[in-house]
Amino acid sequence: MTNPADRAPRGASLNREVLALAIPAFATLIAEPMLVLADTFIVGHLGTPHLGGLTLASNVVGIVVGLSVFLAYGTTAMVSRRLGAGDRAGALSSGIDGMVLGALLGLVVAAVLVPFAPAVLGLYGASAEVTALGAAYLRVVALGLPALLVILASTGVLRGLQDTRTPLRVVVTINLLNIALNVALVYGAGWGIVGAATGTAVSQWIGAALLGGAVVRGARREGVRLRFAPGGVLAAARLGGWLVVRNAALQLALLLTTVTAASLGTTALAAHQVVNTLWHTVAYGVDAFAIAAQALVGLRLGAGDVRGARAVLGRVVAWGVGFGVVVGVLAVLLRGPLSGAFSPDPAVQDAAGAALLVLALIAPIGAVAFQLDGVLIGAGDARFLALAGIATTLAYAPFVGAVWATSAGLAWLWAAYGAWLAFRSVVLGLRTRSDRWLRLGA
């Protein structure tokens, strides 16, 4: 049987290979932001306090997902390396362990957030009304977290197997279902913000059943025993340890950003939700090329193909930056309609429109950081990514602190965020110029 990495393509064929993974991955990556985007659109028309409450709850969910994304990223790298080395059954076995770990972590987090949602959101310092609405949303949406983390892990398995089409089909299904449920529950049943949370949670459980089922069927075809393996689950947790540190550092930067937005007032916080939701949708789109990098770099390094890994690096950076430029142009041209689509409040629209101009400038910078991140994750360079995450977040703190201290406004907050993306691009770029990330074998 021919090893997949032995056919490592060059030139136009490498473009096709990157796009074959990146285009379906785009829809998969934006699954969670699209769910939040639908909630933002629907909840935003309930009122500005409702939108502010959604901002706080979404940030907490974002922190959980950010800390747990190693379930997808670490699994992708590990599975693709084993695939490159010819061990498909071993790859699927480790993927099952990751899915079990995701379910267990989700249950623990849900058990904490459901009873303590008001206390957690109270730490943001928003008004009592905004905090109460956010807690009502968070308590319900937390019930979907075990499913969401299973989605992350099973998606990582499929990406590592070079399959991004199955997650694409599932994402389309659950997003259409989410929109239908939210409209029915918020406006039809009159459940308000709780209806939006219910629709999101139900959609996530259905997505977990579909994606998890696809991985289990693949494991059975390879003769992998489906059993609870505590040793394998603990091994998956240890392998993701450095990625957890890296993700914690990145989530701290995002938390500082949201807390600063809350300090600027309810209008700025609501506008930040609009811009942040749009940015995360864009960011996950840019990250589609980074996902392709994870799978392709892991595959090539698993088979000992250094030249092929570097070729993937150059190609995904070029595609990512090009995508970022297009996004920036669209943000400038469409900032008015985008700002008005999510809130009828003119003050929210004005603040969001100004911040979108800044987003247009920083999108290509963020694209570089995301691509280099994907390459190093695929290479298993998790320790360096953890240390780099800590260093760049520490460098960001004075910038976001200055916005908080001076109440400079939402546009300046997003300019500070752009500086953080630039720090990450420089640090990761220096790493990929060396050979220290090029570790070979399964």
Side-chain angles (χ1 to χ4, degrees):
M1 180 177 177
T2 304
N3 189 310
D6 292 338
R7 302 190 300 270
R10 298 292 184 266
S13 58
L14 179 55
N15 281 332
R16 288 193 295 271
E17 189 177 8
V18 169
L19 292 175
L21 291 173
I23 291 174
F26 175 83
T28 305
L29 282 167
I30 64 173
E32 180 61 23
M34 286 301 292
L35 293 177
V36 176
L37 190 66
D39 287 352
T40 300
F41 182 85
I42 294 169
V43 172
H45 288 81
L46 295 175
T48 299
H50 294 75
L51 192 56
L54 177 63
T55 302
L56 301 184
S58 297
N59 185 251
V60 172
V61 173
I63 291 172
V64 173
V65 173
L67 291 176
S68 306
V69 78
F70 75 90
L71 292 166
Y73 291 174
T75 303
T76 297
M78 179 170 56
V79 170
S80 61
R81 275 184 177 267
R82 292 189 176 182
L83 181 66
D87 185 12
R88 189 181 184 90
L92 282 162
S93 178
S94 61
I96 296 291
D97 293 334
M99 291 166 58
V100 173
L101 176 61
L104 293 175
L105 290 175
L107 288 171
V108 171
V109 175
V112 173
L113 289 181
V114 170
F116 296 112
V120 171
L121 296 188
L123 298 175
Y124 287 84
S127 69
E129 182 183 14
V130 168
T131 301
L133 288 167
Y137 181 92
L138 183 59
R139 277 177 162 156
V140 176
V141 84
L143 298 175
L145 286 176
L148 181 56
L149 299 194
V150 169
I151 288 175
L152 285 177
S154 55
T155 298
V157 177
L158 294 169
R159 288 175 187 158
L161 296 173
Q162 316 295 295
D163 175 12
T164 54
R165 294 183 180 275
T166 299
L168 169 59
R169 290 192 291 269
V170 173
V171 162
V172 171
T173 300
I174 64 176
N175 274 284
L176 292 175
L177 177 63
N178 176 67
I179 294 171
L181 286 174
N182 283 4
V183 171
L185 296 175
V186 173
Y187 298 119
W191 289 9
I193 196 170
V194 172
T198 303
T200 299
V202 170
S203 301
Q204 289 167 341
W205 276 106
I206 292 174
L210 294 173
L211 280 173
V215 174
V216 169
R217 288 191 298 273
R220 285 176 174 170
R221 285 194 297 269
E222 295 295 325
V224 175
R225 294 181 60 188
L226 301 178
R227 59 185 178 84
F228 178 68
V233 173
L234 291 175
R238 285 195 299 270
L239 288 172
W242 282 113
L243 286 178
V244 170
V245 175
R246 170 258 188 194
N247 297 341
L250 302 188
Q251 289 303 314
L252 176 59
L254 299 179
L255 177 62
L256 291 173
T257 305
T258 302
V259 170
T260 303
S263 75
L264 299 175
T266 300
T267 297
L269 184 61
H272 179 70
Q273 172 65 11
V274 173
V275 179
N276 196 48
T277 300
L278 291 169
W279 167 245
H280 274 82
T281 304
V282 169
Y284 278 85
V286 174
D287 212 24
F289 296 102
I291 292 300
Q294 290 178 25
L296 295 175
V297 167
L299 185 73
R300 282 158 173 74
L301 293 181
D305 184 5
V306 172
R307 183 181 176 187
R310 284 203 173 276
V312 171
L313 164 64
R315 201 56 51 93
V316 297
V317 168
W319 276 107
V321 171
F323 186 88
V325 170
V326 170
V327 164
V329 172
L330 292 176
V332 172
L333 296 177
L334 301 177
R335 66 187 185 280
L338 288 173
S339 301
F342 295 97
S343 174
D345 188 335
V348 173
Q349 294 176 17
D350 290 343
L356 281 172
L357 288 175
V358 180
L359 185 151
L361 295 175
I362 68 176
I365 300 172
V368 174
F370 289 9
Q371 304 321 304
L372 297 178
D373 223 23
V375 167
L376 294 178
I377 289 172
D381 201 15
R383 181 178 180 275
F384 175 81
L385 287 169
L387 298 177
I390 293 171
T392 53
T393 297
L394 290 175
Y396 173 54
F399 288 80
V400 72
V403 175
W404 179 85
T406 62
S407 298
L410 190 63
W412 281 106
L413 176 60
W414 277 87
Y417 182 85
W420 177 59
L421 292 175
F423 297 152
R424 290 177 59 194
S425 297
V426 170
V427 172
L428 300 181
L430 291 174
R431 179 67 168 185
T432 54
R433 287 178 63 88
S434 73
D435 292 331
R436 285 176 289 179
W437 59 281
L438 293 168
R439 291 186 289 273
L440 308 179

